[in-house]
Amino acid sequence: MSFLRRRKGTDSSKSQNLRCNIVKEDEKNNLYESLRKESYNSKKWSCWDSCCWFIGFVCSVWWFLLLLYNTMPSSIPQYVTEAITGPLTDPPGVKLRKEGLTVNHPVVFVPGIVTGGLELWEGHQCAEGLFRKRLWGGSFGELYKRPLCWAQHMSLDNETGLDPPGIRVRPVSGLVAADYFAAGYFVWAVLIANLAQIGYEEKTMYMAAYDWRLSFQNTEVRDQTLSRIKSNIELMVATNGGKKVVVIPHSMGVLYFLHFMKWVEAPPPMGGGGGSEWCAKHIKAVMNIGGPFLGVPKSVSGLFSVEARDIAIARTFAPGFLDKDVFGLQTFQHLMRMTRTWDSTMSMIPKGGETIWGGLDWSPEGSSFNCGAKTLRNNSINNTDRIPNINLADMNNVNYGRIISFGKDVAEAHSSKIERVDLLDSMKADMLANLTNCDIWIEYHDIGDHRIKAVADYKVYTAGSILDLLHFVSPKLMARGGAHFSYGIADNLDDPKYQHYKYWSNPLETKLPDAPDMEIYSMYGVGIPTERAYVYKVTTATDCSIPFQIDTSAEGGSEDSCLKGGVFSADGDETVPVLSAGLMAAKGWRGKTRFNPSGIPAYIREYSHAPPANLLEGRGTQSGAHVDIMGNFALIEDVIRVAAGATGKELGGDHVYSDIFKWAERINLQL
């Protein structure tokens, strides 16, 4: 019996062990399965992973190619390019050196908005370690590392338009200030290199760098920049045998130098005290590249909603993304708050009102530019004859005079069929207290829903009512701007009020210098659809968002239509319409006029845009785009010839592709 009990106990123990082993095996299997599932789940690919890997891949390939390009012998890229496209033409500097041209007149470069580097000299604790590091230009590394700190230091004081307390950001000096905007993206570098081919060097070239965020007169108040430019030009003339300088402003630099020419003649303390003959004694020619003489509609959309065509398109691909809090940076709100402290942007608001830009039912351009036309590579350097307009037959009529329209139907309807409310009555209404809990303050948060609705109910804004609109939605910005800039047409230029600096950058409210031997050039690209007017809508987003957006759903009726993505396009260089860049040289300064009393010769040099034939051409040598034109061989050759001593007549006079002279005839500008 005891034996049986022992055996029974043994069998029971074995079965118990067997059950335990089975349980353990099951637990192992369950553990293995759970680990396998966890491993599988951890390897699931998300959209965020795809974005990161894609960005990393693009950056890695870019830096690898950049490294490869900089380490390989310089002859290899040229050999590959020539094998594909055929023998390359000599750069203008090499070509003209073979012709015997050498350094002659000193050259002064005046950069435009955003292309000049800015560096930190004093900042808050968040900017520790950034002393004399570039905040603008270069790699923009600090924008990615600490975006809120970067935006804070790039902003100016909202009351004074000068430095905020405890922050000093200053322009980079020397040719490096604007030779490249970022690594591999040239601005002045190609022109500088070609000038060097005929003997130019730093003692005969000067980059007139300035803080492009400030109003023009404030660059003198804070940094004495205008005085420095005056002194440097006088030094260059004195140390180069009395030879006058050739000044080459680009983009907003054109307006800045126009301001300088009045400042340098005006008596102190407002002016530089050089006297009425200073320009005649020191300047041979002013070769304006891509000059927004009469403003750009793009500046209106920038001030109104921080938008342009590219940003509006980006919004359609990622609705709401740019309005959200991304990495602690509410992109559009911070961008608006920052850029609305940059008083210089107000220098490019359209000037001349409806006389220049058109009204509710007319515009100088008459009909739309053919935005679907292909551009031919026919921009001959030697062709200086007047060329018939390359635009095709008139397309659908477009009323470019309506710079902002709320709705496509409003943009296309006759003015008699548009019902509008009186904006002035709404302006008289009291401003509401800001009751929103927005982290970022912008002026839209103060005006209230009823005033926002009134903006849209006014329906249409021309160049004559745009100023009222901007005063309505951004009173602080326009209060500062009104002290530094003006946008009208002078009735009597001998009126003493036009001696004030606020008028000096408006060519319709100031006279050119008394310098009949000086020459002035308007040089710009044509053949690229350029922003001219906009279709807007009121957004339905949160209280803390910007209430107006370009209506990207507004499209024209055909492929060649110039209404695309809520933007009406006209002929220009992608940024500045032909009307703004060329009208003063075509009419306002043509011969002796009240704007040009000494009869300074004015020439138009247009460059028809031709895109690069392949990727190996980079940004192209025949580009007419606003910045890429700085590498246009035809333009560079014109500049070098004038710097070497040629006159406008020797260049061949006017070189015109567009209808600028026809448009000028339609504008009733008193001369």
Side-chain angles (χ1 to χ4, degrees):
M1 291 294 293
S2 63
F3 171 75
L4 290 173
R5 281 196 298 270
R6 281 198 303 272
R7 181 161 184 180
K8 187 176 181 180
T10 303
D11 291 341
S12 175
S13 175
K14 284 182 178 179
S15 65
Q16 219 170 11
N17 289 337
L18 182 60
R19 280 196 300 271
C20 288
N21 289 336
I22 291 172
V23 170
K24 288 180 179 178
E25 192 67 30
D26 288 340
E27 288 177 351
K28 285 182 181 178
N29 289 336
N30 291 336
L31 181 61
Y32 171 76
E33 185 65 21
S34 66
L35 289 172
R36 187 181 68 80
K37 287 182 178 179
E38 187 178 339
S39 175
Y40 172 78
N41 290 332
S42 67
K43 291 179 181 178
K44 285 181 73 173
W45 203 254
S46 68
C47 179
W48 180 249
D49 294 324
S50 300
C51 291
C52 291
W53 275 97
F54 177 73
I55 293 170
F57 174 75
V58 171
C59 291
S60 299
V61 170
W62 170 254
W63 286 114
F64 174 74
L65 292 176
L66 198 62
L67 176 66
L68 192 65
Y69 181 82
N70 285 297
T71 54
M72 71 172 62
S74 59
S75 59
I76 293 179
Q78 182 176 342
Y79 174 79
V80 174
T81 304
E82 289 183 351
I84 296 174
T85 64
L88 298 176
T89 58
D90 284 335
V94 174
K95 172 188 171 183
L96 297 179
R97 184 183 63 198
K98 292 177 180 177
E99 292 183 13
L101 271 64
T102 59
V103 58
N104 192 355
H105 293 274
V107 171
V108 177
F109 308 117
V110 186
I113 192 169
V114 309
T115 54
L118 299 174
E119 60 188 17
L120 183 69
W121 280 80
E122 180 185 0
H124 295 163
Q125 188 174 357
C126 67
E128 188 72 30
L130 297 182
F131 176 68
R132 294 205 65 203
K133 298 287 179 64
R134 286 201 183 197
L135 292 187
W136 189 270
S139 66
F140 285 92
E142 300 312 314
L143 170 59
Y144 311 124
K145 295 176 184 175
R146 27 191 158 182
L148 290 177
C149 183
W150 176 85
Q152 180 186 24
H153 285 74
M154 282 297 298
S155 300
L156 295 169
D157 188 276
N158 200 40
E159 301 291 337
T160 65
L162 296 169
D163 292 327
I167 294 176
R168 283 186 295 147
V169 174
R170 297 293 182 263
V172 177
S173 59
L175 295 178
V176 297
D179 54 353
Y180 287 91
F181 175 64
Y185 191 90
F186 72 82
V187 182
W188 294 90
V190 176
L191 178 57
I192 292 170
N194 278 277
L195 283 165
Q197 290 287 344
I198 68 166
Y200 279 86
E201 50 188 300
E202 276 212 80
K203 68 180 181 181
T204 48
M205 292 190 287
Y206 164 60
M207 184 70 72
Y210 60 99
D211 190 336
W212 44 261
R213 302 171 302 161
L214 299 172
S215 69
F216 301 156
Q217 192 68 9
N218 273 346
T219 64
E220 175 66 15
V221 170
R222 195 194 72 178
D223 300 334
Q224 294 75 56
T225 302
L226 298 173
S227 295
R228 295 171 190 274
I229 294 173
K230 176 177 181 282
S231 298
N232 275 285
I233 289 176
E234 290 171 345
L235 179 63
M236 293 177 83
V237 172
T239 56
N240 284 277
K243 294 176 181 176
K244 302 176 187 178
V245 300
V246 171
V247 184
I248 310 169
H250 173 243
S251 189
M252 192 185 75
V254 167
L255 302 179
Y256 187 69
F257 196 76
L258 198 62
H259 180 98
F260 170 84
M261 287 193 293
K262 296 301 295 183
W263 173 87
V264 76
E265 293 180 341
M270 191 179 295
S276 60
E277 297 181 352
W278 191 94
C279 291
K281 291 178 179 178
H282 294 90
I283 302 174
K284 174 194 185 311
V286 183
M287 307 190 77
N288 301 291
I289 302 175
F293 287 107
L294 302 176
V296 287
K298 204 173 186 176
S299 68
V300 175
S301 64
L303 292 170
F304 189 51
S305 62
V306 205
E307 285 183 295
R309 188 203 314 271
D310 297 338
I311 293 176
I313 291 173
R315 264 181 157 159
T316 64
F317 285 107
F321 178 78
L322 293 175
D323 298 291
K324 293 179 181 177
D325 192 334
V326 181
F327 302 128
L329 179 66
Q330 286 172 287
T331 315
F332 271 98
Q333 289 87 331
H334 278 287
L335 190 59
M336 175 171 278
R337 185 183 182 186
M338 178 178 71
T339 56
R340 281 194 173 184
T341 67
W342 298 349
D343 290 353
S344 63
T345 58
M346 288 178 282
S347 69
M348 292 184 289
I349 294 173
K351 304 175 178 71
E354 295 184 6
T355 300
I356 303 297
W357 294 93
L360 287 175
D361 292 314
W362 83 280
S363 59
E365 297 95 331
S367 58
S368 69
F369 166 63
N370 183 16
C371 298
K374 298 287 185 182
T375 306
L376 303 177
R377 296 175 62 79
N378 61 354
N379 194 17
S380 170
I381 291 175
N382 298 317
N383 184 4
T384 56
D385 297 326
R386 173 96 188 256
I387 298 173
N389 181 24
I390 61 172
N391 301 344
L392 300 182
D394 286 351
M395 306 301 292
N396 297 325
N397 287 337
V398 175
N399 190 352
Y400 291 117
R402 304 176 188 186
I403 294 179
I404 287 181
S405 302
F406 277 88
K408 180 187 173 185
D409 56 335
V410 173
E412 296 174 344
H414 190 273
S415 61
S416 61
K417 298 180 180 179
I418 302 174
E419 296 182 4
R420 308 162 76 190
V421 301
D422 191 346
L423 185 66
L424 294 177
D425 288 343
S426 298
M427 290 179 71
K428 294 173 185 176
D430 293 335
M431 296 277 280
L432 296 180
N434 183 8
L435 302 177
T436 59
N437 295 317
C438 301
D439 294 332
I440 309 123
W441 175 84
I442 54 177
E443 288 179 280
Y444 279 129
H445 299 160
D446 286 342
I447 68 176
D449 292 341
H450 70 294
R451 292 166 68 96
I452 290 172
K453 183 178 182 298
V455 169
D457 288 343
Y458 192 69
K459 306 288 188 181
V460 180
Y461 296 87
T462 66
S465 53
I466 280 294
L467 293 176
D468 291 335
L469 172 66
L470 293 176
H471 276 288
F472 187 55
V473 299
S474 51
K476 284 195 173 184
L477 172 80
M478 295 304 291
R480 294 197 317 273
H484 289 274
F485 302 106
S486 182
Y487 311 100
I489 301 176
D491 294 324
N492 177 14
L493 285 168
D494 294 323
D495 189 323
K497 77 173 186 178
Y498 292 110
Q499 297 174 9
H500 191 273
Y501 60 75
K502 68 182 286 184
Y503 301 102
W504 291 348
S505 60
N506 181 358
L508 299 172
E509 295 182 305
T510 190
K511 300 177 185 178
L512 287 179
D514 183 11
D517 295 331
M518 191 178 90
E519 294 180 327
I520 191 162
Y521 296 79
S522 289
M523 313 169 77
Y524 53 88
V526 297
I528 307 178
T530 302
E531 294 172 46
R532 179 66 169 83
Y534 304 89
V535 177
Y536 265 86
K537 65 180 180 180
V538 179
T539 65
T540 56
T542 62
D543 289 337
C544 293
S545 67
I546 297 167
F548 306 110
Q549 286 183 10
I550 294 174
D551 185 359
T552 53
S553 67
E555 295 284 344
S558 68
E559 188 176 331
D560 292 334
S561 171
C562 283
L563 173 58
K564 294 181 179 178
V567 180
F568 285 101
S569 298
D571 196 3
D573 69 359
E574 205 170 34
T575 296
V576 183
V578 167
L579 186 66
S580 179
L583 181 64
M584 291 309 297
K587 185 165 189 170
W589 294 331
R590 182 70 40 161
K592 284 191 177 184
T593 68
R594 66 191 185 108
F595 305 108
N596 183 13
S598 67
I600 295 173
Y603 300 100
I604 294 178
R605 305 288 292 179
E606 293 184 345
Y607 305 88
S608 179
H609 175 70
N614 54 65
L615 290 174
L616 294 174
E617 281 194 21
R619 287 153 63 192
T621 60
Q622 296 184 42
S623 176
H626 188 64
V627 177
D628 294 355
I629 198 173
M630 303 295 282
N632 184 301
F633 277 12
L635 179 142
I636 292 172
E637 181 172 326
D638 285 347
V639 169
I640 294 177
R641 288 190 183 279
V642 172
T647 65
K649 287 184 178 179
E650 290 169 338
L651 287 186
D654 296 321
H655 185 204
V656 179
Y657 290 86
S658 73
D659 281 335
I660 184 61
F661 285 105
K662 184 189 298 183
W663 300 339
E665 291 173 4
R666 296 173 182 163
I667 293 174
N668 185 20
L669 181 63
Q670 180 189 347
L671 300 177

